Amino acid sequence: SLLGGYTLAVALVVMILIQRQFVPGLRHVAEALHQITPGDRQRLGLPAGHGGDEIGRLVTGINGLLDLVQEKLTSEHALREELQGLEQRFRMIFERASVGIFLLDAAGRVIMSNQSFGEILGDGDGPLRGMDGAPLDALFMDAEEATAMLEATVRLGKSTSADLRLATDEAAEPRWVHCLFTRIGGTPGTPLPGASLVQGIITDVTERKREERRMRQQTERDPLTGLLNRRSAEHALQAFLEQSAGSRSGVALCLIGDFRASHDIQAREAGDRILVTLAERLRGTLRRSDLAARLDGDAFLIAILDQACLATIQAVAAKLLAALTQEIALDERTRVRVEVNLGIALSSEHGHDPAHLLALAAQAVEQAKRRGTDQVQII
């Protein structure tokens, strides 16, 4: 019992020493640690008298961990600022790009677009707004081609591009854009995470298309009358005859020549005015599907499609003759009437060789001339 009492006394003494030696230091460390915010530069102070004991080593270890946390937080903050800067720069590029940029889902609906996209699709009075959710086929007049491009991009993963007409008022001049589709994979945080998205880029190419059309007209059209020139007419006539060769309908090939004015016309400007007026009357009389061309000098070529009935051909020829022989006002005092002859050759009767039909039509004009003026001869 005496030994037990000694043991208890020693234990009490040791506990008191530990309480006095370590507990105040630990309490001091705990209180100081609660006042430190992770990431700042504040560190634990070493309690007096604990430089070489466990409390000292504990404080050193905690300060090391605080240094590591501060380093990681500083690095993470710098990285976050860098990412925010990159995001701002990319967003600025996206918003201020001169080309229209938009994002489509796999169903072809717009889910995001920049300002230039709305400006390009606008009507000239301001940008088109509220395009998010709009279907692709509502944007382009060439809706089928645009849809086929989108499907190919989604299915094959290849970029597709084409010049497309915007869906504008039918009475307005067509507006063209060059459109590029590229498939991109959806990622978490995107409007359709994990799905296939399509990025679209459009640039306005209306001016280029207008210039291409002008250049094409210069090579295909007669500069005075705007009708097809001889070379283009020969190509078009060949296509007409090939088209009609496999059908029961035919092509009526008409040469209009032997022009003679009721007054002697000396000025070149007056002669040009007559040719331009005759060309306008031809366009106003014929269908859009028919062919009208100016050959050499004052000869015109007409090709009328789907004409197998002789009575119909005669009626069309009479209508042409009536339109061409109306008086033309050269100025306020001078009016002239043009006398013409028409020669017609039928592919249903003479085959589908364009050179042969042209020669027959020329013969028909000569036959009409021998009969007088304002005559129609079908050969």
Side-chain angles (χ1 to χ4, degrees):
S1 62
L2 183 60
L3 180 60
Y6 285 148
T7 302
L8 179 59
V10 171
L12 289 173
V13 171
V14 170
M15 289 179 62
I16 292 171
L17 291 174
I18 292 174
Q19 180 76 16
R20 291 180 176 179
Q21 181 70 20
F22 293 102
V23 171
L26 289 173
R27 184 181 296 111
H28 173 78
V29 170
E31 291 174 353
L33 186 61
H34 280 302
Q35 297 176 3
I36 295 177
T37 301
D40 63 18
R41 296 185 179 277
Q42 186 178 359
R43 296 293 181 267
L44 295 175
L46 184 65
H50 294 284
D53 59 18
E54 295 300 327
I55 292 179
R57 287 193 291 273
L58 176 63
V59 170
T60 301
I62 291 174
N63 285 337
L65 288 174
L66 291 173
D67 290 339
L68 182 61
V69 169
Q70 181 185 3
E71 179 182 348
K72 296 296 183 182
L73 289 177
T74 301
S75 176
E76 181 181 350
H77 180 70
L79 180 60
R80 186 182 299 112
E81 288 184 342
E82 182 179 358
L83 290 176
Q84 289 176 348
L86 287 173
E87 181 181 356
Q88 290 176 355
R89 286 194 289 271
F90 281 119
R91 179 167 292 279
M92 183 176 63
I93 293 172
F94 175 79
E95 293 294 341
R96 299 185 182 181
S98 60
V99 298
I101 305 173
F102 58 102
L103 200 62
L104 300 171
D105 59 21
R109 291 188 174 276
V110 179
I111 57 178
M112 184 183 299
S113 61
N114 68 348
Q115 181 177 345
S116 291
F117 177 74
E119 291 174 348
I120 291 173
L121 267 65
D123 56 5
D125 295 330
L128 195 63
R129 303 187 183 279
M131 293 307 299
D132 289 358
L136 184 68
D137 55 8
L139 305 180
F140 301 105
M141 189 179 300
D142 307 303
E144 294 183 359
E145 184 176 357
T147 301
M149 286 172 56
L150 176 65
E151 292 175 350
T153 300
V154 172
R155 185 177 68 256
L156 303 177
K158 295 182 178 180
S159 296
T160 57
S161 63
D163 291 341
L164 302 173
R165 291 174 298 172
L166 293 177
T168 55
D169 186 352
E170 293 183 359
E173 179 185 5
R175 294 172 51 231
W176 289 82
V177 294
H178 182 76
C179 185
L180 171 67
F181 287 148
T182 304
R183 191 179 74 179
I184 57 177
T187 57
T190 61
L192 292 177
S196 290
L197 304 176
V198 174
Q199 174 186 270
I201 298 176
I202 58 172
T203 53
D204 193 325
V205 294
T206 303
E207 287 298 326
R208 172 169 66 79
K209 284 292 185 179
R210 188 179 292 124
E211 181 63 18
E212 289 176 355
R213 184 171 66 251
R214 188 184 68 83
M215 295 297 294
R216 186 168 56 252
Q217 287 179 345
Q218 287 182 348
T219 59
E220 296 179 353
R221 299 278 172 174
D222 171 55
L224 177 62
T225 63
L227 299 178
L228 292 177
N229 57 28
R230 174 180 283 275
R231 182 177 179 181
S232 298
E234 289 174 350
H235 288 298
L237 179 59
Q238 181 68 46
F240 278 15
L241 291 170
E242 290 176 356
Q243 177 183 339
S244 65
S247 64
R248 300 179 60 184
S249 63
V251 174
L253 182 64
C254 175
L255 277 181
I256 305 174
D258 192 30
F259 291 98
R260 284 177 289 179
S262 57
H263 294 75
D264 185 23
I265 303 299
Q266 298 294 332
R268 177 179 176 181
E269 293 78 7
D272 289 348
R273 174 67 180 275
I274 291 173
L275 291 175
V276 170
T277 303
L278 294 178
E280 292 174 350
R281 291 177 180 178
L282 285 178
R283 278 191 289 262
T285 305
L286 297 172
R287 301 171 302 177
R288 296 186 64 179
S289 59
D290 296 329
L291 182 152
R294 181 192 177 193
L295 304 183
D296 302 329
D298 58 0
F300 291 95
L301 168 68
I302 305 297
I304 306 171
L305 284 173
D306 304 326
Q307 296 299 331
C309 175
L310 183 59
T312 302
I313 296 171
Q314 291 173 333
V316 172
K319 188 176 180 181
L320 284 171
L321 191 62
L324 296 174
T325 55
Q326 292 180 19
E327 284 190 339
I328 299 173
L330 298 181
D331 53 44
E332 294 181 356
R333 294 180 300 174
T334 307
R335 302 178 68 88
V336 298
R337 180 182 179 279
V338 177
E339 299 173 345
V340 299
N341 287 304
L342 281 64
I344 300 175
L346 307 178
S347 65
S348 58
E349 297 291 333
H350 305 289
H352 296 82
D353 178 28
H356 180 57
L357 289 174
L358 280 169
L360 290 176
Q363 292 178 20
V365 170
E366 292 300 320
Q367 293 177 13
K369 186 193 306 185
R370 287 195 290 269
R371 291 165 44 203
T373 58
D374 299 341
Q375 299 295 315
V376 176
Q377 179 65 47
I378 300 177
I379 197 170

